[in-house]
Amino acid sequence: MKVFCGRVNPTTGAVDLVEEDENYDYHQEIARSSYADMLHDKDRNEKYYQGIRAAVRRVKERGEEAMVLDIGTGTGLLSMMAITAGADFCYAIEVFKPMADTALRIVEKNGFSGKIKIINKHSTEVTVGSGGDMQARANILITELFDTELIGEGALPSYEHAQQNLMQDQWEAVPHRATVYAQLVESHRMWSWNKLLPLRLGSEEIRSPTEMESCPGGPSVCDIQLNQVSQSDFRPLSDVLAVFRVDFSQQVSSSAASHPVRIRSLASGAAQVVLSWWDMDMDPEGTVTCSMEPHWLHPTSQPGPWRDHWMQCVYFLPEESPVAQGEELRLTAHQDDYCVWYSLTKTGTGEQSETSAQRPACHCGAHITWNRARFGELNDQRRMERYEAALREALSPDSVCLCVSDGSLLPVLAQSIGAAQIYTMESSSMSQQLMEKIFRTNHLGDKIRVLQKSPEGVTTADLGGKKVSALIAEPFFTTSLLPWHNLYFWYARTALSTHLASGVTVLPLSASLHVLAAEFQDLWRIRSPCRSCEGFDVSSLDEMIKNSLTFRESQEAEPHAMWEYPCRALSDPTKVMTFDFRETVPAEEVSCEGSLHLVRPGWCQGAVLWMEYQLTEEISVSTGLLQVAEETGDCQWYPHSKQGVYFLSSLLEPTPARSRCPRDLTYSLTFNPKTGCICMSFTEEKVRAV
């Protein structure tokens, strides 16, 4: 069977379908998933076990056999907990075959094969009865079907079907119930992730089209590590509210529902954003609770456990609404079988509109074309001021300017500065239409021409028969995942060579790849080996992940928004490669080797990589590191781009002796111009004492 997976092609700026080995892409999916993170989540595991043990006890006290149904078993951990707690038998359902095979090996290795049956099906396909997948219905339902939004992985339909078809008339559920919390806030920072705000560019103030201002946005939640958002970045307009509960011990419905809550505004301001999270009671009494609440709710107490598989939610209201202190409001959480969204009304203004009860859908195109980081980048006034200063140096009144970036406002800057002719290229028809709307709204529709073409497809006629004297870019492309994927600009510049005037100005002049060795506060957990968990041997999962990553681990980094994941710089930031955009892409590979000397003691778990762009000889912009605290090494990262993170293969707890040992992190990097990829390897080496 042929398997295809999507992969960014930096040479074309597109996502290509690449044929892989039959199991390769699946194993990669497991390896890059949050299984290790969940297994390392001791708080989660302990509370699940307490809830399971109590549920088994309640069933036994009724004089019944404890028959468990575990939906989405993953590694089989919760099923093994159930048998250890005294359950008589467990049916463990896992639809994903490579994971089901791994769970079977783990169950057998731990001696539970006679008590646990792994069923490789979707729970809705499971049959009960003689000759069926289950001999009889279960009376304990254990699940871990939850995501950051609680219901986003289809928990409600799965519960609804299981309770109707696979459970006895009376059952125990672990978790027993979940509660969703919300807080209404004003936040310019978070609102800038959702709207194109008025922006001063040169002599122009750019405004977004009316349909973009009124657009409710997309249905996907913005999930973040809310602990890393400073409390100074938002102002609470309400208390924390329990907006709705799901009782898993009762029949669950996946039907759409609305949950209104009356509130009184704590302050005057602009209601823009709803912060949300949930907690789970593992037992009916609510004595065992697993909570996702942000740490700043209890700043004086011990911080809660770090998690990446479950975070917190940011929901954007359909529109900004001014509220007065003490004003009575109604905040409504709407949910269907997969999504949650919020609306806000003033009390006394009638019932919720039919529109607000519908799942939000973008009608302006911006929320489909741009993600939250891109909105933030476009709204970054300081960043745009640096581009403005650079363009003032680079452009002249007779410049024929071509911009090669997706959804860029640089053409507006070029027009403000006074370039004679301005063209901009967009990679998709939707992006083309979006930018044309923005230009028309700002009366620039006849001054900036949008080309929806590939660089290879541009003709002399497209450029009015003239040569380009200024080729400009941010660069930014919507398909880019890793920092160096935006080197697509270099390939575009090469393809456009015949259309460039002699002595063409190229902005940015060049890009450079930077790297530093890092100690991560928590991020290391998602890739740390996990050979045992709560006393069970789960090394089969660790072996499978290790084997599937043997090749890639020595060559690839992962994209992460480092502002959400605190880390310490153990080495000085180092420039390791430079790409000169004034020249065409070279035919030969470009390689570099060297060492990062670890100037601070700590646990070196990997390296962080990012790009910096030299706009002019004097002006540059960074998509990564902004500042390092001299004494502590704490890093401040650019918040509107993802950085590349390379995890070392051996993530071991540091010993005091090891952390004091002088070391180097040696690196070897190779840029392949045929693929546009950067292959890399890092090795930690002890430095010999002199």
Side-chain angles (χ1 to χ4, degrees):
M1 183 180 72
K2 292 183 178 181
V3 175
F4 296 89
C5 63
R7 187 168 301 155
V8 174
N9 184 336
T11 68
T12 64
V15 177
D16 295 338
L17 289 178
V18 180
E19 184 178 347
E20 298 286 5
D21 170 78
E22 179 176 355
N23 292 315
Y24 173 79
D25 190 44
Y26 298 141
H27 288 169
Q28 286 294 313
E29 187 172 338
I30 293 175
R32 300 304 189 198
S33 69
S34 294
Y35 282 108
D37 179 27
M38 290 186 286
L39 293 176
H40 282 293
D41 189 344
K42 189 171 181 62
D43 177 79
R44 163 195 176 271
N45 299 337
E46 288 180 345
K47 288 174 177 175
Y48 256 103
Y49 183 58
Q50 292 175 39
I52 291 169
R53 189 171 54 188
V56 170
R57 184 178 63 249
R58 291 193 297 274
V59 169
K60 294 285 189 178
E61 287 174 350
R62 296 199 295 264
E64 303 174 13
E65 283 191 326
M67 304 299 292
V68 175
L69 176 63
D70 176 8
I71 301 179
T73 193
T75 61
L77 175 64
L78 301 184
S79 295
M80 293 188 293
M81 285 183 177
I83 299 302
T84 302
D88 294 282
F89 198 82
C90 180
Y91 297 101
I93 301 173
E94 177 55 54
V95 68
F96 191 40
K97 189 177 188 307
M99 197 66 240
D101 293 342
T102 302
L104 181 61
R105 291 197 295 273
I106 291 174
V107 165
E108 290 175 347
K109 184 174 287 188
N110 286 276
F112 292 105
S113 55
K115 290 280 192 175
I116 299 173
K117 180 181 179 181
I118 305 294
I119 302 172
N120 179 212
K121 287 185 176 181
H122 193 283
S123 62
T124 57
E125 300 171 343
V126 170
T127 56
V128 181
S130 179
D133 300 304
M134 298 171 59
Q135 292 300 302
R137 294 187 176 218
N139 52 15
I140 299 176
L141 179 56
I142 302 173
T143 64
E144 208 283 56
L145 300 172
F146 314 109
D147 66 352
T148 294
E149 202 174 15
L150 184 69
I151 66 172
E153 291 186 0
L156 296 183
S158 296
Y159 267 107
E160 185 176 39
H161 176 272
Q163 291 168 342
Q164 292 174 350
N165 299 279
L166 306 177
M167 303 303 296
Q168 298 175 16
D169 292 338
Q170 181 182 5
W171 68 85
E172 303 291 335
V174 183
H176 185 78
R177 74 176 70 85
T179 304
V180 175
Y181 298 89
Q183 184 175 35
L184 181 67
V185 304
E186 175 186 67
S187 174
H188 180 272
R189 179 185 180 186
M190 287 184 269
W191 193 240
S192 73
W193 298 342
N194 182 58
K195 300 289 184 181
L196 183 60
L197 305 178
L199 191 64
R200 174 64 63 179
L201 298 180
S203 61
E204 308 283 347
E205 183 179 67
I206 299 303
R207 302 195 65 86
S208 60
T210 303
E211 62 183 294
M212 189 185 296
E213 293 178 356
S214 63
C215 182
S220 59
V221 67
C222 178
D223 55 339
I224 66 172
Q225 292 284 355
L226 198 55
N227 296 315
Q228 301 308 315
V229 176
S230 170
Q231 288 182 271
S232 63
D233 281 327
F234 63 90
R235 180 160 56 141
L237 299 180
S238 79
D239 294 320
V240 175
L241 314 162
V243 289
F244 70 92
R245 289 186 172 86
V246 182
D247 190 339
F248 301 118
S249 65
Q250 303 296 322
Q251 180 62 55
V252 168
S253 172
S254 62
S255 300
S258 295
H259 311 277
V261 179
R262 290 182 177 270
I263 61 176
R264 189 179 295 274
S265 178
L266 298 177
S268 298
Q272 300 166 323
V273 171
V274 176
L275 309 180
S276 182
W277 56 90
W278 48 265
D279 65 24
M280 293 187 299
D281 291 327
M282 295 297 181
D283 61 333
E285 296 76 24
T287 58
V288 181
T289 301
C290 190
S291 177
M292 305 310 122
E293 67 180 14
H295 300 166
W296 37 254
L297 280 179
H298 306 287
T300 58
S301 63
Q302 185 72 17
W306 179 87
R307 299 181 172 97
D308 204 51
H309 53 102
W310 295 328
M311 293 185 277
Q312 295 81 34
C313 303
V314 172
Y315 294 97
F316 304 107
L317 292 175
E319 58 184 2
E320 182 179 274
S321 178
V323 299
Q325 183 175 2
E327 187 173 8
E328 292 188 357
L329 309 166
R330 182 169 60 238
L331 181 67
T332 302
H334 308 274
Q335 49 94 182
D336 56 19
D337 49 351
Y338 281 90
C339 286
V340 177
W341 63 97
Y342 286 85
S343 63
L344 182 71
T345 56
K346 308 290 179 70
T347 57
T349 58
E351 297 299 317
Q352 293 287 331
S353 69
E354 185 177 339
T355 301
S356 65
Q358 297 174 351
R359 184 190 293 190
C362 173
H363 57 69
C364 73
H367 302 90
I368 300 173
T369 306
W370 302 332
N371 59 21
R372 77 174 193 232
R374 183 55 176 166
F375 271 103
E377 194 168 42
L378 290 171
N379 287 315
D380 187 341
Q381 183 74 49
R382 291 183 180 179
R383 173 180 173 275
M384 294 308 297
E385 287 171 356
R386 297 188 73 80
Y387 276 98
E388 179 185 1
L391 286 173
R392 288 193 181 279
E393 287 187 28
L395 301 183
S396 62
D398 60 350
S399 292
V400 177
C401 186
L402 174 60
C403 178
V404 184
S405 283
D406 288 344
S408 179
L409 297 177
L410 294 192
V412 179
L413 277 175
Q415 191 279 329
S416 172
I417 291 168
Q421 290 181 275
I422 305 164
Y423 303 89
T424 184
M425 295 177 61
E426 296 294 338
S427 61
S428 69
S429 58
M430 180 172 290
S431 186
Q432 176 192 15
Q433 294 168 14
L434 173 62
M435 297 312 296
E436 286 177 340
K437 290 176 190 175
I438 293 174
F439 296 150
R440 285 197 301 268
T441 298
N442 292 278
H443 310 293
L444 300 173
D446 58 343
K447 299 177 181 179
I448 302 172
R449 184 180 175 192
V450 183
L451 306 176
Q452 199 266 297
K453 287 193 170 186
S454 67
E456 295 81 4
V458 172
T459 65
T460 302
D462 292 327
L463 301 173
K466 296 185 177 181
K467 295 282 189 178
V468 173
S469 59
L471 184 67
I472 66 174
E474 300 187 40
F476 169 83
F477 302 97
T478 55
T479 56
S480 297
L481 298 176
L482 288 161
W484 43 93
H485 288 167
N486 285 321
L487 288 176
Y488 170 61
F489 170 64
W490 204 9
Y491 291 88
R493 176 258 182 271
T494 302
L496 290 165
S497 292
T498 58
H499 299 292
L500 304 182
S502 176
V504 62
T505 296
V506 180
L507 185 154
L509 301 173
S510 63
S512 53
L513 180 65
H514 295 245
V515 62
L516 62 76
E519 176 183 53
F520 306 110
Q521 180 174 302
D522 293 297
L523 186 60
W524 62 272
R525 300 173 192 274
I526 68 173
R527 297 292 168 259
S528 181
C530 190
R531 298 178 179 86
S532 66
C533 181
E534 305 306 316
F536 301 108
D537 184 341
V538 293
S539 58
S540 295
L541 174 66
D542 190 46
E543 291 166 7
M544 189 271 290
I545 291 177
K546 184 176 180 180
N547 291 337
S548 68
L549 287 179
T550 298
F551 173 73
R552 297 231 164 189
E553 187 178 41
S554 66
Q555 297 199 330
E556 287 194 353
E558 304 175 17
H560 290 283
M562 288 304 300
W563 74 267
E564 295 186 57
Y565 304 102
C567 72
R568 294 176 58 243
L570 299 187
S571 73
D572 292 328
T574 302
K575 181 193 297 186
V576 292
M577 276 188 174
T578 299
F579 311 93
D580 190 346
F581 297 149
R582 291 166 294 189
E583 304 293 334
T584 57
V585 176
E588 303 299 324
E589 291 184 343
V590 179
S591 298
C592 68
E593 295 181 348
S595 297
L596 303 174
H597 183 60
L598 305 191
V599 297
R600 295 182 183 88
W603 178 17
C604 184
Q605 300 145 328
V608 185
L609 304 99
W610 67 96
M611 301 291 282
E612 292 188 7
Y613 295 98
Q614 200 69 37
L615 304 185
T616 67
E617 296 293 349
E618 303 295 332
I619 303 173
S620 64
V621 293
S622 174
T623 65
L625 187 68
L626 299 180
Q627 187 176 346
V628 176
E630 185 64 32
E631 292 187 5
T632 63
D634 292 339
C635 298
Q636 180 184 349
W637 299 95
Y638 184 65
H640 307 311
S641 293
K642 288 187 176 181
Q643 292 73 42
V645 178
Y646 181 102
F647 293 97
L648 294 176
S649 57
S650 299
L651 293 172
L652 304 174
E653 291 286 351
T655 63
R658 182 174 182 234
S659 65
R660 288 196 300 267
C661 239
R663 288 160 292 159
D664 279 352
L665 187 66
T666 63
Y667 60 83
S668 175
L669 298 99
T670 300
F671 170 69
N672 185 337
K674 293 181 179 179
T675 64
C677 296
I678 297 178
C679 296
M680 61 189 69
S681 65
F682 290 84
T683 307
E684 189 182 23
E685 292 188 356
K686 185 174 180 179
V687 179
R688 293 182 180 178
V690 178

